[in-house]
Structures are given as C-alpha cells and as structure tokens.
Amino acid sequence: MDLTDTEDERDFRLRLRDWLRRTLPTLPPPPPAHDWPARRAYDCGWQRALYDAGYAGLHWPAEAGGRGATPAVHLIFLEETERAGAPYVGANFVGLLHAGPTIAAEGTPAQRARWLPAILRGDEVWCQGFSEPEAGSDLAALRTWAVREDDTYVVTGSKVWTSHAEVADWCELLVRTDSAAPRHKGISWLAMPMSAPGVTVRPLRTLAGSTEFAELVLDRVPVPVGHRVGEENDGWRVSMVTLSFERGTAFAGEVVACRRTLADMARTARHNGRWDDSSLRRRLGRLNAQFTALWRMTQWHACAGEAPRTGAAAVSGSVFKLLYSQARQELYDTAADLLGPPALDAGHPWTAARLSSLSYTIAAGTSHIQQNIIAERGLGLPKGR
C-alpha cells in the first residue's frame, strides 16, 4: 500500500484546502449541542455546501450519484476536513455512512434514484432501527414483526438507541418477516418513513445530556413492500453489509479528530507544566502509537474495500471497532487526568467527549460481541457456551 500522494491526489488536497479556507469562515456559528432541530439544519446545510462544491459522496460509486473517487482521495478528504475543523456529518451520519451505501450496494435502480440523491444533498435524514429493548447485543433476537398484507408490511414492535430519530425522515429498520424460519433467516431490511402513522418517538437523554438516541414504538406501521431493500427474509445478510460500513471506515473522521485532540493534549501538557511527568508522556506516546495504527488500519480498510475478504480479513472491521473503542476511552481518561479539576466542568469539550466515549464499547456492537466475532469467524474458535 503506497501512502504517498500522487500528483492528482496532491492537486485534490490543495484544491480542497483552498475551498475549506474560503468556505469555513462563511458558515454560521454551530447551534447548541442539545438543540437537535437546529443541529439538523446546520448539518444539512453543510452537506448541501459539500454537494454544491462536488465533495458529497466522494467515495460512492458514480452510478449511485457519487464521484467514484479512489480510497486514497476519500481519506484525503477526511484528513483535510477534520484538520481544518470543518463540521462533521452529524445528523446525516446514518444516511451517508450506513443506509446510503447499503442502498447503493443492495437497492434496486428505483430505490437508488429515490433515496440516494436526497441523502447526498442533505435533504433527508435517516436513523437506524436495529437494536431492541429485549434483544441486548443479540441483533438476531429482534422481535419487531412485519406482517405482509398485499403490497404493504404492517410493522409492530419497538426499537431502542435509534440514532437521530427525533429529526429523521427515514429509518433503516430490521424486522422479522418469517416466524418459522431460523432466527437469522427470517429477517428483512426496510426503509420506513418516520412520518408514517403508528410511529412514536421517545427521546432518550444520555449521560452527556443529549437526546441523539430515542426509543421507537411501532404500532401497526404501514411500510410499502417496495421499500424493502434486498429480498424478503434476506435482511440478515443485508444488515451485515450495513454493519460492514459501520465498523469499517465510518469512524475514519473520528480517528483523525482523536489524533488532533492528542496533539492538543501534548501542547496543554507543555503549557501547564505537566510535560515533565514521565508517566504522562508514556501514556501520550502509547496513545499516539495506537491512533497511528488505527489510522493505518483505516487506510487498509479503504484500499481493500473493493476486494472480497474472507477468514480473518473479513472481521477486520470488528478488530478496528474493538481497538478504537478502547483507545478512545483511554484518550479521554488521560485528558481528564491532564485537566485536573476543570475536567469536572461539563461544558469543557474534553469532558463532553469523555462522557461520549463511554458509549463506544456498546454502540455498533458491544466489545464482547466484537471479541466473539473475532474469535469465532476470524480465528475459527468454537462458540462459547
């Protein structure tokens, strides 16, 4: 894997830097962290600016509305936007990084035409309806039912930890469509309109005070059969496609952000006299090695994204997710030690990030689930009893 910019890549980097330099000062100030309607408007405005400038969906295939850029160009985009302090995808996270790529890979031409342009323009926001209150980390234990009545699925059940449900237009929803099938076989992947009758959104307030998650209560919600992505009862395979995006390069921007925070921590330590603490320097050095390795894994995932992967390579996304979750928590634990008493101030960005970091060993598949995937699918170890 050659990590040196080609001439075309260097030109792209310089053009992007120039556009960011000119564009970022024109943006309005970010809204309050907990005002999700305002954050939706802000995030979608940034997405529209990217779209108008030709930077939306760089790595999406051209037939899906993207630019079909190489993995190297996509990574340059992530590096430069994060280093410039540009807005993150925010409320567009599920649509841009999960649902959109899944529809691009598995959807019909009509489905791609209906949903992908709206995602790329920032016109519509998606949420994720996978987890359920009684299923824990066992995604295949879902109990939300979809009964087919002519050309409509009638959906009843509940979902939890539904990202951005408060402001979403659509939900990528896993439902059980065959009660007699083995539990991994009777599942379907639906695109559910959040405006449909029978959808109730109950925001969940996190430790950090945010309501970016919600519980969904679904009472005989009608979803057209044409909104099913993939074949009926093939939703488990389609969901694995979704999760491969979630656990692969979806955290790339956050890895760059963590590396930037680590550099800020080193500067803070020099400024407040903590740099003479050899124990702190060792922690910072170890974190630097960890995040450098994670960025190399991100680059490898991007470059290997088009190739079929089997065995241990097929679970590399789980390896990345496990290591990233641990490193992020250690990063912000170290930041709290470095700050001292100010770390108790909930308004400090490092404090808010530390509280958020606690969720990463649970979100997108708990660390225990990732360890099981690595052991069973990657190393061929027997299933635990």
Side-chain angles (χ1 to χ4, degrees), residues 39-49 92 121-123 125:
R39 287 185 63 179
R40 172 192 161 124
Y42 183 83
D43 295 341
C44 290
W46 171 244
Q47 181 61 30
R48 183 61 194 229
N92 294 304
R121 290 192 302 263
D123 292 343
V125 170

Side-chain angles (χ1 to χ4, degrees), residues 88 246-256 320-321 324 360 364:
Y88 190 48
E246 185 175 44
R247 296 170 186 166
T249 58
F251 289 110
E254 297 190 42
V255 172
V256 177
F320 174 90
K321 179 16 177 93
Y324 172 71
Y360 277 75

